[in-house]
Amino acid sequence: MCVSFQRLISIAATAGFLAAAPAAHALDMVRFMAPGSPGGGYDQTARTLGKALVEAGAAKSAMYDNKNGAGGTLGLAQFSNSAKGDVNALCVMGAIMVTGIVQNKPQITLANVTPIARLFTEYNVIAVRKDSPYRSFDELMADFKKNPSGVKWAGGSKGSVDHIGTAELAGAAGVPVAKVNYIPFGGGGEVISATLGGHISAVTGGYAELAKYIEAGQFRVLAVGSPTRMPGVDAPTLKEAGYDIEIGNWRGVYGAANLTPAQRKELTDAVLAATKTKVWQEALKTNAWSSSVISGDEFGKFVDQEHDRLRAVMTKVGLI
């Protein structure tokens, strides 16, 4: 077969163009379900991961839906029902969703969707207002042991990581859980106001939620729930203070139901690539998120273990 010189040039040029062209995005427009309020932890995680997916070249773009309520289980149900088989769909979840499932016993649970990856753990801080009489964590705990109900703890809703962590701290201190005076709040702004107003003895929550008040000097951190000291935070860990526990809210993502093995791998690879980007690494540092990435079946087993652990604590606290 005779091929003209011009045709050979054309074929070579086309081949060169194809070789130089960038790889196609693994995903198209990723649709995130953030099962909480705009601006909350789920929403922040979704938007940060969306930017990271785009920066990694793993997705063309991202869009976000918010569905608050019932510990995140309302958003989970909407996600499960609307995204079956969709490789471009992700639902943010975490320890709070697990406790929501334990408490609410919804028809749709995490068994109905596909585990992709745990991303990070946001460890709690225990803080007081700047004019609090408690100058150290030892002073706070001494009062707590002496008069448990006289110390007013505050944080997120009943069954939240804040609530369960306070119960675990009481157990480690030898204080009966029934005597813990924990005041739950539905929103971060409410608990901040109550603490600054002197109605709360100590507040517990993720560092990112309290950061601007800590950095402004309105709150003093007495202890942190992380395994090692938080960079830039001058406070001991609970373990350093003599209490062998950690308090933190891990977050991760699940994919839609009915994904094929190839789709699950494609989605997992995209998420893992996103965690290596500059935007993601900067978010870890800014928010004091501790990277704790695990994926696939290992992540699914971890969630099952957390379900059992959290259920046991919630039973002890009297939430179920």
Side-chain angles (χ1 to χ4, degrees):
M1 179 183 292
C2 181
V3 180
S4 69
F5 181 69
Q6 289 82 1
R7 177 62 174 159
L8 288 172
I9 292 176
S10 176
I11 292 171
T14 301
F17 172 77
L18 292 173
H25 293 86
L27 306 173
D28 193 6
M29 176 186 284
V30 179
R31 289 178 288 279
F32 280 92
M33 166 54 71
S37 302
Y42 286 145
D43 185 68
Q44 185 182 23
T45 303
R47 293 178 187 276
T48 304
L49 183 58
K51 291 178 183 178
L53 283 166
V54 173
E55 182 180 296
K60 293 179 182 178
S61 61
M63 63 178 291
Y64 311 92
D65 290 324
N66 294 86
K67 181 71 174 179
N68 195 18
T73 60
L74 295 184
L76 174 63
Q78 180 175 311
F79 175 77
S80 177
N81 289 328
S82 66
K84 289 182 173 66
D86 186 355
V87 72
N88 293 290
L90 282 169
C91 180
V92 180
M93 51 76 67
I96 293 174
M97 182 178 285
V98 176
T99 62
I101 290 169
V102 172
Q103 279 186 292
N104 300 312
K105 300 180 177 65
Q107 289 185 333
I108 292 176
T109 70
L110 291 167
N112 298 104
V113 286
T114 305
I116 299 298
R118 185 183 70 188
L119 300 171
F120 63 85
T121 302
E122 182 178 11
Y123 289 101
N124 277 41
V125 299
I126 296 173
V128 296
R129 66 188 186 282
K130 65 178 180 181
D131 56 348
S132 168
Y134 301 116
R135 308 302 300 178
S136 70
F137 189 63
D138 286 343
E139 290 180 2
L140 172 65
M141 292 304 291
D143 224 11
F144 184 43
K145 293 174 186 178
K146 181 179 179 181
N147 180 22
S149 61
V151 175
K152 297 179 180 178
W153 300 85
S157 59
K158 287 184 178 181
S160 66
V161 168
D162 307 337
H163 186 192
I164 290 174
T166 303
E168 289 181 309
L169 177 60
V175 173
V177 172
K179 293 187 177 181
V180 176
N181 187 358
Y182 180 85
I183 303 171
F185 287 85
E190 296 174 359
V191 70
I192 298 296
S193 297
T195 306
L196 291 176
H199 307 295
I200 300 300
S201 306
V203 60
T204 181
Y207 178 82
E209 183 180 3
L210 304 177
K212 67 179 181 180
Y213 304 98
I214 295 168
E215 292 163 5
Q218 293 174 284
F219 283 168
R220 286 186 288 108
V221 179
L222 300 185
V224 297
S226 49
T228 58
R229 289 202 175 201
M230 289 185 182
V233 179
D234 185 19
T237 67
L238 294 175
K239 291 185 178 182
E240 284 181 277
Y243 306 95
D244 190 21
I245 62 168
E246 297 174 8
I247 304 174
N249 179 22
W250 53 267
R251 294 199 187 99
V253 286
Y254 267 59
N258 302 335
L259 294 183
T260 66
Q263 286 178 316
R264 185 183 184 188
K265 183 180 186 305
E266 181 181 10
L267 186 55
T268 302
D269 288 348
V271 169
L272 295 180
T275 65
K276 297 177 174 62
T277 61
K278 181 179 179 181
V279 68
W280 184 259
Q281 294 300 316
E282 287 179 348
L284 293 179
K285 183 177 180 181
T286 299
N287 298 307
W289 293 344
S290 297
S291 180
S292 56
V293 177
I294 54 175
S295 61
D297 291 340
E298 183 183 2
F299 176 44
K301 291 176 183 177
F302 166 79
V303 173
D304 290 341
Q305 292 167 354
E306 280 291 274
H307 183 280
D308 293 342
R309 180 184 73 85
L310 293 168
R311 182 182 179 82
V313 178
M314 293 169 74
T315 300
K316 191 174 182 180
V317 176
L319 288 171
I320 55 174

